[in-house]
């Protein structure tokens, strides 16, 4: 697992102690959540969710379904994998924009995540965590096909098109509230740089989402 600006192995151990409960909980609902093609819905061009960028809450519209690089081995039916980057994107220069998926690893975060478990439009329903199984304190088989966790979104700017997805784990309400108040990549990075903040990542994935920022909320 690659954890930028986090102190590597030490942080991986901390993630393991905090994440495993959330992962095990997701296993109980994963089977019910799966659907053909690994998407929560068939592609819906008018589907929208909120996101944070540059201190603001914006609306994003998903014009296409997700893409996961199938040259990266994955046991999830979605072909999506956490813990390694894609070998290639859906189009040339797909890495020009980054979406950070903020995953709360504690109960009852306030505000509530923008997407509930396996619910966001044109996202995968399920994902393979086996590459980070050691950090999770689990066997690879146990976390090879789990429901996409509840999460919120931070964008690296108000762009559009294909977005490279990276995961950021948030382990406490104080940090979650700071992210919700700051609504920006800069605030997120400042918390990641603080070893005591409880914000860990970013963790690469082979997942891309396609959406455009269409306005402020």
């Amino acid at each position: 697992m690659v954890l930028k600006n986090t102190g590597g192995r030490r942080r991986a151990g901390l993630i393991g102690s905090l994440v495993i409960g959330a992962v095990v909980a997701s296993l109980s609902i994963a089977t019910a959540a799966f659907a053909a093609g690994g998407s929560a819905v068939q592609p819906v061009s008018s589907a929208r969710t909120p996101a944070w960028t540059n201190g603001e809450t914006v609306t994003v519209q998903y014009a296409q379904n997700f893409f996961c690089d199938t040259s990266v081995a994955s046991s999830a039916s979605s072909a999506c994998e956490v813990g390694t980057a894609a070998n290639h994107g859906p189009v040339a220069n797909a890495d020009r924009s980054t979406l950070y998926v903020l995953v709360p690893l504690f109960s009852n975060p306030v505000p509530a995540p923008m997407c509930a478990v396996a619910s966001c439009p044109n996202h995968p329903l399920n994902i393979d965590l086996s590459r980070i199984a050691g950090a999770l304190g689990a066997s690879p088989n146990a976390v090879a096909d789990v429901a996409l966790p509840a999460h919120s979104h931070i964008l690296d700017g108000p762009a559009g098109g294909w977005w490279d997805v990276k995961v950021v784990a948030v382990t406490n309400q104080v940090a979650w509230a700071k992210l919700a108040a700051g609504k920006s990549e800069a605030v997120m990075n400042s918390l990641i740089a603080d070893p005591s903040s409880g914000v860990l990542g970013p963790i690469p994935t082979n997942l891309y989402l396609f959406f455009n920022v269409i306005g402020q909320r």
Side-chain angles (χ1 to χ4, degrees):
M1 177 173 60
V2 177
L3 296 176
K4 185 168 66 177
N5 299 325
T6 62
R9 296 192 182 104
R10 181 171 57 84
R11 289 281 179 110
L14 177 58
I15 289 180
S17 65
L18 293 165
V19 177
I20 187 60
V23 171
V24 171
S26 74
L27 288 171
S28 65
I29 61 174
T31 301
F34 298 160
S39 179
V41 294
Q42 293 300 311
V44 177
S45 62
S46 61
R48 301 178 181 184
T49 68
W52 294 323
T53 188
N54 295 336
E56 299 175 339
T57 301
V58 297
T59 297
V60 301
Q61 181 171 330
Y62 300 85
Q64 297 185 38
N65 207 0
F66 69 91
F67 170 91
C68 284
D69 177 13
T70 57
S71 73
V72 174
S74 174
S75 295
S77 60
S78 64
C80 299
E81 185 83 13
V82 175
T84 190
N87 294 317
H88 59 81
V91 296
N93 302 317
D95 294 334
R96 63 184 180 275
S97 301
T98 300
L99 163 64
Y100 299 97
V101 170
L102 308 179
V103 179
L105 304 180
F106 58 95
S107 300
N108 304 314
V110 178
M114 295 169 180
C115 290
V117 174
S119 71
C120 240
N122 298 354
H123 287 45
L125 274 179
N126 56 323
I127 201 157
D128 184 350
L129 303 178
S130 61
R131 290 176 186 265
I132 60 170
L136 299 176
S139 71
N141 287 341
V143 293
D145 198 358
V146 299
L148 189 73
H151 62 274
S152 290
H153 309 123
I154 282 184
L155 313 180
D156 66 359
W162 286 106
W163 296 72
D164 178 28
V165 175
K166 298 184 187 300
V167 174
V168 173
V170 184
T171 65
N172 63 73
Q173 175 60 47
V174 171
W176 186 260
K178 288 179 179 178
L179 290 164
K183 298 180 172 65
S184 71
E185 183 185 24
V187 169
M188 181 194 74
N189 286 338
S190 70
L191 290 168
I192 290 172
D194 178 359
S196 66
S197 73
V199 180
L200 310 169
I203 304 168
T205 76
N206 72 335
L207 167 63
Y208 290 79
L209 295 176
F210 190 98
F211 58 85
N212 301 308
V213 176
I214 61 172
Q216 293 178 247
R217 289 202 159 200

